[in-house]
Amino acid sequence: MLTKCCAFTGHCPGKFPWRYNEADSRCVALKAVLAEQIAALVNTGFTQFLSGMAEAADTWSALSVLALREENPALNLYCVLPCEGQADKWTASSQELYRSVLDRADSIVYVSRTYHKDCMLNRNRFLVDHANILLAVYNGERRGGTAATVRYAQKMGRKIIMIDPLTQALTQSEKTCADGTRRN
């Protein structure tokens, strides 16, 4: 596990009411709160950031780190990809943004070179396993990759900061041990 390391997870565009319309005021507000939370982590000494580079929340988080890195070159962005070709079916503009982030990342890690049914799950677990804290854009639903990642982080005793994508409300959980007791 990297010290002072934050991993990101969050929903893809289809889970948001605005879908791909990033000009929607709700999306603009969410991205602002996400950037504020990342800046707050930097201000408490976090310098290592892991993004799974899915569309929307993962990419927005990575872009925030890259923007902050312009003022603070000590920040590192690691892109943890489930497989090669993750963005192959995305729109041309999404693929271009994806490649531009990868080009500026400090490192790219492939959890698998080829797609298989568990590569996304393996990527999400890698993120949690290598971070002290998980920053999640999460709507509270029980199904899906973001929900599974949040549950895994809880199981692994990671501190979790959740941002509700509609209200921008923040929820924080303390680190806990496997038996449910709180630890410092």
Side-chain angles (χ1 to χ4, degrees), residues 4-5 7 10 39 47 75 79 82 108 114 123 152 162 170 183:
K4 290 295 189 172
C5 181
T47 58
L75 302 183
C79 294
I108 300 170
T114 58
R123 183 260 327 262
Y152 183 68
M162 289 184 270
L170 297 174
R183 66 179 176 181

Side-chain angles (χ1 to χ4, degrees), residues 15-26:
K15 297 280 184 168
F16 300 125
W18 59 82
R19 304 188 55 82
Y20 286 88
N21 180 8
E22 292 187 33
D24 185 289
S25 61
R26 297 167 294 181

Side-chain angles (χ1 to χ4, degrees), residues 72-94:
N72 184 349
L75 302 183
N76 291 295
L77 175 65
Y78 305 98
C79 294
V80 180
L81 309 181
C83 60
E84 290 181 357
Q86 173 177 343
D88 286 355
K89 295 181 181 176
W90 298 358
T91 65
S93 61
S94 292

Side-chain angles (χ1 to χ4, degrees), residues 2 4 9 18 28 33 36 46 48 68 71 76 80 82-83 88 100-101 104 136 145-146 150 158 168 179 183:
L2 296 169
K4 290 295 189 172
T9 191
W18 59 82
V28 171
V33 169
E36 287 169 13
F46 279 79
Q48 313 298 312
L68 290 166
E71 300 292 321
N76 291 295
V80 180
C83 60
D88 286 355
S100 79
V101 172
R104 294 179 282 161
T146 300
V150 168
R158 300 296 187 263
Q168 292 83 51
D179 65 3
R183 66 179 176 181

Side-chain angles (χ1 to χ4, degrees), residues 128-172:
V128 170
D129 289 342
H130 290 84
N132 309 90
I133 192 168
L134 181 68
L135 179 56
V137 174
Y138 179 49
N139 64 12
E141 68 181 21
R142 297 292 302 154
R143 297 183 58 145
T146 300
T149 305
V150 168
R151 282 193 304 275
Y152 183 68
Q154 289 167 333
K155 176 182 170 187
M156 298 307 292
R158 300 296 187 263
K159 180 175 180 181
I160 305 166
I161 300 171
M162 289 184 270
I163 303 170
D164 183 292
L166 295 180
T167 66
Q168 292 83 51
L170 297 174
T171 308
Q172 292 193 32

Side-chain angles (χ1 to χ4, degrees), residues 8 22 31 38 49-70 75-81 86-87 90 92-110 123:
F8 305 118
E22 292 187 33
K31 288 163 62 171
I38 295 167
F49 295 91
L50 307 176
S51 175
M53 290 302 297
E55 287 184 287
D58 288 7
T59 302
W60 302 332
S61 299
L63 289 167
S64 291
V65 172
L66 291 172
L68 290 166
R69 190 174 71 184
E70 291 178 17
L75 302 183
N76 291 295
L77 175 65
Y78 305 98
C79 294
V80 180
L81 309 181
Q86 173 177 343
W90 298 358
S93 61
S94 292
Q95 287 183 38
E96 184 179 326
L97 179 60
Y98 176 83
R99 283 191 297 276
S100 79
V101 172
L102 295 182
D103 287 345
R104 294 179 282 161
D106 293 284
S107 179
I108 300 170
V109 175
Y110 290 95
R123 183 260 327 262

